[in-house]
Amino acid sequence: MSDKDEIRELLARYCFALDADGFEEMAALFTPDGVWQTAFGTGTGRAGIAAQARSIATGPRPRRVHLTTNIVIDLDGDTATARSNWALVQNTPDGPAIGSGGSYSDRLTKLDGRWLFKHRTIDRYIAAEQS
C-alpha cells in the first residue's frame, strides 16, 4: 500500500472509531505526544485526547457518521500534511440531516512503519448552532 493510501486509511479509521465512541481507539491513531485541537477544546497525548473526546460526547446521541472528502496529502519523507473536508450526518426526528461540517488540517508522521496523527486541527464552520 502506498503512503497516501495508508494515510487515507488512517483518516477513515479515525471516523469509524469516533462514530462508535471508541475514544481510546481513536486516540491510539495519534503519536504519544499528539494534539487533537477542536472547537470544544484541545487534547494532548493519547490519554488527553481520549478524555477530551469523551468530554464532548456527553449524554445520549443520535446515530451518526463522519464523512471525509476532498483529501489532499503532501508527503515529505516520514512526515506529511493532509487537508480534507468533513460532514457529520446524523439521525433526527425529521430524518437524516447534516449536523455539522468543516475541515481537517493534519500533520502526520510515520512512526515504526505506521502513519499517525501528530496534530489534527478541526475547523467546524458548518453547524446548526455556531459555537
Side-chain angles (χ1 to χ4, degrees):
M1 190 180 311
S2 76
D3 285 329
K4 286 188 176 189
D5 286 336
E6 289 179 25
I7 291 170
R8 285 185 196 95
E9 180 102 358
L10 173 67
L11 273 58
R13 287 184 186 282
Y14 167 92
C15 292
F16 280 116
L18 195 57
D19 290 338
D21 292 338
F23 306 124
E24 282 75 17
E25 180 184 350
M26 183 269 285
L29 301 173
F30 286 77
T31 60
D33 62 346
V35 176
W36 189 58
Q37 187 175 347
T38 78
F40 305 103
T42 299
T44 302
R46 291 176 176 155
I49 291 167
Q52 176 62 24
R54 191 172 287 103
S55 76
I56 295 169
T58 58
R61 296 184 298 165
R63 182 74 177 148
R64 70 220 177 273
V65 62
H66 283 80
L67 305 172
T68 305
T69 64
N70 304 330
I71 301 166
V72 177
I73 300 166
D74 293 309
L75 297 169
D76 185 13
D78 284 345
T79 64
T81 59
R83 294 177 297 134
S84 55
N85 293 325
W86 63 273
L88 177 91
V89 179
Q90 63 190 43
N91 289 325
T92 73
D94 297 324
I98 295 175
S100 59
S103 64
Y104 294 127
S105 178
D106 301 315
R107 289 193 326 247
L108 307 130
T109 190
K110 196 170 194 176
L111 186 63
D112 296 326
R114 181 174 167 227
W115 283 101
L116 298 168
F117 295 105
K118 177 75 172 165
H119 191 125
R120 170 160 261 203
T121 301
I122 303 169
D123 190 359
R124 179 179 183 254
Y125 48 79
I126 299 171
E129 296 179 25
Q130 293 296 320
S131 51

